Amino acid sequence: MNNSPSPGGILERERALPADINAERATLGSILLDYQMFDLVSPFLSAHDFYLQKHEWIFESMADLNEKGTPPDLTTISNDLRSRFGDKVESVEYDRLKLVGGIAYLVELSTEVPTAGHAEFYARIVAGTAARRRLIETGGKISALGYDERADLGSIFHRAGEMLRGVVEDPRTSRRELGLSARDLMAMEIPPIQWIIHDFLSAGLTICASAPKFGKTWFWMDIALAAASGGKALGEIDTLECDVLYLVLEDKSKRFHRRLAAMGYNHQNTPQNLWYDDTCPKIDRGALFALRRWVDRHAGTGRPKLIIIDTYIMVKPTVTSLSSIYDSDYKGFEGLRDLAQEKDIALVAVHHTRKQDAQRVFDMITGSTGIQGVVEAEMVLYELRGQPVVELTGKDLSHQQIPLEFDKSTFRWRMLARDAQEYLASSTREAIVAHLSINGRCTPQEMAEELSHDYNAIIQALKRLRDENIVGYERKGRQSHYWLLQSSMNETEWESDQ
């Protein structure tokens, strides 16, 4: 007499969790009747969705056979299960076919359903009960977080939110085969880029850096105020009206109030769509959860969203000794980028530039190249040959250098032209012609010193003026002298007389 416990017994223990065993049996039986039903249910059903271990093993065998191009039927499934081993019962190791109940159990499953046509109906019941079990398990983990008195609430809420999102995410996305149809993609309707300011600021993550005290807060306050009212930013650029959240994490409320007042705002004319806060947790302590909550809270307005974090260093996640600087920078900005993409919002992280020189302007941004690897647009505020400019580039942006001017009477930045190089060349040219008309013959060095212009810019402008026969040129030893030609002087005098 065999006194060993039934192999199937260890696989059918009762647990007080949602499950529908009949639906599981009907799903497997339908596939055994018609193996093509597997392709119908596999996009939303996985082996882990089955409550009973033996049902999980059977469906896993079906999935592996299907992946190899072998139809999952009674014979192929039996052979596959026989080749695998499961748990030990009293030190005796059984193959999975014996543990599930042998071929007889598979035949029993296939004969219980009269037709395979209801496979999807049964499979969705199985997937639904599995989701409920995951929710119960996650609820227990979230409850445990609440008992951890060492963790701050922001961190707990963020972790709880991540756990809940994991419940609803499809666990099969990582199992799908690679390769999607480009033709199917082109049949989809993809919304156009959401521009807050056309070819300047769009939905996605932007980093903007400058040296301390350069005026980047005034710069972004001007843009925030314009976007909150649908007005003009930097004096002349049209904006799309938005709900704006400005995080003044370094200035705090009192200084933000003084800045608004200096720009001419009061209780009556401050845009209603402008929101601010002077506190925000770190990115790894609940910032993403808090930002997502703000976006969701204002979703009903139907307006685009713009969030400005001034400055990023105030929300930067805690750096551990186990992570590299690159990994730390990448992960810090990755969460912000994913939030911007998920919600289709414009998110700006205001940052600092490093003190040392860099070959590329964007290499001046403090941090590693991990930052540039994750953000969608980069901006740097700096001086180009003494002229304040903002230089920007991005995945959806053209590379631009825009000359700026700060009006100390209104505390606003103003765009002077669309191209800094052309603007500088034009202003240098005008300054040279005016200088020569008054002072006569001069050397480039004298003009650079007296006009406070970059020497190389003076040389380039003089070369163009020579080519156009506007200035004369003579070289004596090491000195080059330039003067305004008489025809050009007459034209200049005539223009001034008009």
Side-chain angles (χ1 to χ4, degrees):
M1 180 177 177
N2 185 2
N3 295 321
S4 299
S6 166
I10 63 170
L11 306 175
E12 299 182 6
R13 291 188 291 269
E14 291 293 333
R15 290 174 290 181
L17 289 171
D20 193 323
I21 306 305
N22 290 331
E24 292 187 7
R25 292 169 65 96
T27 300
L28 297 173
S30 298
I31 298 172
L32 288 168
L33 277 181
D34 183 353
Y35 65 81
Q36 293 183 0
M37 293 297 105
F38 181 85
D39 291 332
L40 181 66
V41 304
S42 59
F44 61 87
L45 189 67
S46 73
H48 294 302
D49 290 337
F50 287 85
Y51 180 74
L52 294 185
Q53 177 74 82
K54 62 182 181 181
H55 291 167
E56 178 181 339
W57 283 348
I58 293 171
F59 193 85
E60 182 182 332
S61 177
M62 291 174 172
D64 291 343
L65 288 167
N66 186 73
E67 189 171 346
K68 296 174 184 176
T70 303
D73 55 28
L74 277 172
T75 302
T76 58
I77 294 171
S78 298
N79 292 336
D80 185 75
L81 289 171
R82 190 180 287 113
S83 67
R84 304 171 186 239
F85 289 87
D87 294 343
K88 289 183 178 180
V89 179
E90 294 187 354
S91 300
V92 178
E93 191 171 38
Y94 292 89
D95 63 64
R96 285 189 176 181
L97 180 61
K98 179 172 287 189
L99 287 171
V100 302
I103 297 178
Y105 187 71
L106 298 179
V107 172
E108 181 181 325
L109 292 176
S110 65
T111 57
E112 280 185 349
V113 289
T115 175
H118 303 303
E120 182 178 0
F121 173 77
Y122 298 132
R124 292 201 178 276
I125 294 176
V126 175
T129 54
R132 291 177 181 276
R133 292 195 298 274
R134 290 196 299 271
L135 182 61
I136 291 171
E137 180 183 1
T138 302
K141 293 179 180 179
I142 292 174
S143 297
L145 291 177
Y147 289 100
D148 186 358
E149 297 181 356
R150 296 170 299 177
D152 64 274
L153 286 176
S155 176
I156 291 174
F157 288 143
H158 174 66
R159 292 169 62 188
E162 293 295 323
M163 288 181 182
L164 287 173
R165 278 192 294 278
V167 173
V168 298
E169 287 176 355
D170 187 350
R172 285 156 294 283
T173 52
S174 60
R175 293 173 57 106
R176 72 165 178 81
E177 295 183 3
L178 291 178
L180 300 173
S181 168
R183 178 171 291 185
D184 290 346
L185 173 64
M186 297 311 296
M188 298 170 59
E189 290 189 10
I190 304 296
I193 297 171
Q194 181 77 273
W195 290 104
I196 307 302
I197 302 175
H198 183 72
D199 203 24
F200 186 91
L201 180 63
S202 68
L205 176 60
T206 297
I207 184 171
C208 178
S210 79
K213 306 297 186 291
F214 190 90
K216 54 184 174 290
T217 297
W218 293 113
F219 180 83
W220 283 106
M221 281 186 65
D222 181 88
I223 293 174
L225 287 158
S229 59
K232 292 186 179 294
L234 305 179
E236 59 178 79
I237 315 178
D238 291 330
T239 63
L240 185 66
E241 186 176 355
C242 303
D243 293 317
V244 181
L245 173 63
Y246 200 117
L247 297 180
V248 283
L249 304 180
E250 286 188 340
D251 273 1
K252 301 301 181 183
S253 295
K254 290 183 179 179
R255 187 180 296 274
F256 190 59
H257 178 279
R258 287 195 289 267
R259 286 183 186 268
L260 286 171
M263 297 174 77
Y265 288 94
N266 53 46
H267 177 68
Q268 282 75 32
N269 64 2
T270 300
Q272 288 187 336
N273 300 339
L274 177 63
W275 303 81
Y276 88 99
D277 210 313
D278 60 5
T279 61
C280 185
K282 300 283 187 182
I283 289 174
D284 58 340
R285 298 294 182 89
L288 299 178
F289 178 83
L291 293 174
R292 185 178 284 106
R293 283 284 301 273
W294 181 84
V295 174
D296 292 342
R297 204 162 60 242
H298 294 271
T301 68
R303 290 184 290 268
K305 305 291 182 283
L306 168 61
I307 297 176
I308 300 169
I309 302 174
D310 188 358
T311 61
Y312 168 76
I313 196 69
M314 304 298 289
V315 298
K316 182 179 179 180
T318 307
V319 180
T320 66
S321 58
L322 298 177
S323 60
S324 68
I325 297 176
Y326 181 97
D327 289 340
S328 176
D329 285 340
Y330 192 96
K331 290 177 181 177
F333 281 92
E334 184 181 32
L336 296 175
R337 180 204 61 190
D338 292 347
L339 173 63
Q341 291 180 348
E342 173 195 342
K343 297 296 185 179
D344 195 29
I345 62 172
L347 203 160
V348 178
V350 181
H351 202 33
H352 297 290
T353 52
R354 64 182 90 230
K355 292 183 178 180
Q356 60 265 39
D357 294 332
Q359 291 183 344
R360 292 176 64 250
V361 168
F362 301 108
D363 290 338
M364 295 165 57
I365 298 173
T366 299
S368 71
T369 54
I371 295 174
Q372 298 174 33
V374 69
V375 300
E376 281 133 331
E378 301 167 81
M379 296 186 188
V380 178
L381 290 160
Y382 68 106
E383 285 193 355
L384 176 65
R385 303 201 294 269
Q387 171 64 52
V389 300
V390 56
E391 187 162 345
L392 56 149
T393 190
K395 296 176 181 177
D396 298 311
L397 283 173
S398 59
H399 181 258
Q400 302 168 60
Q401 283 181 320
I402 299 174
L404 302 169
E405 180 181 64
F406 185 69
D407 188 337
K408 293 183 179 180
S409 65
T410 61
F411 297 94
R412 289 184 180 274
W413 284 98
R414 184 170 66 90
M415 184 177 74
L416 298 175
R418 290 300 305 190
D419 187 282
Q421 297 292 349
E422 291 182 4
Y423 174 80
L424 287 171
S426 175
S427 62
T428 301
R429 175 193 179 101
E430 292 173 2
I432 289 173
V433 171
H435 184 79
L436 291 178
S437 66
I438 296 173
N439 298 286
R441 297 166 65 98
C442 291
T443 66
Q445 186 67 38
E446 290 171 342
M447 284 184 273
E449 291 176 356
E450 293 182 30
L451 297 173
S452 299
H453 277 237
D454 179 73
Y455 177 78
N456 291 326
I458 293 287
I459 292 295
Q460 293 173 9
L462 285 170
K463 184 179 183 303
R464 286 192 293 269
L465 289 169
R466 282 175 55 197
D467 293 341
E468 297 171 16
N469 293 319
I470 294 176
V471 299
Y473 164 77
E474 181 183 37
R475 185 174 182 85
K476 290 184 178 181
R478 295 184 178 181
Q479 291 284 353
S480 298
H481 290 82
Y482 292 83
W483 65 90
L484 202 61
L485 295 176
Q486 189 63 36
S487 60
S488 298
M489 290 181 65
N490 293 339
E491 290 175 5
T492 304
E493 292 168 1
W494 181 87
E495 289 174 356
S496 64
D497 289 341
Q498 300 307 303

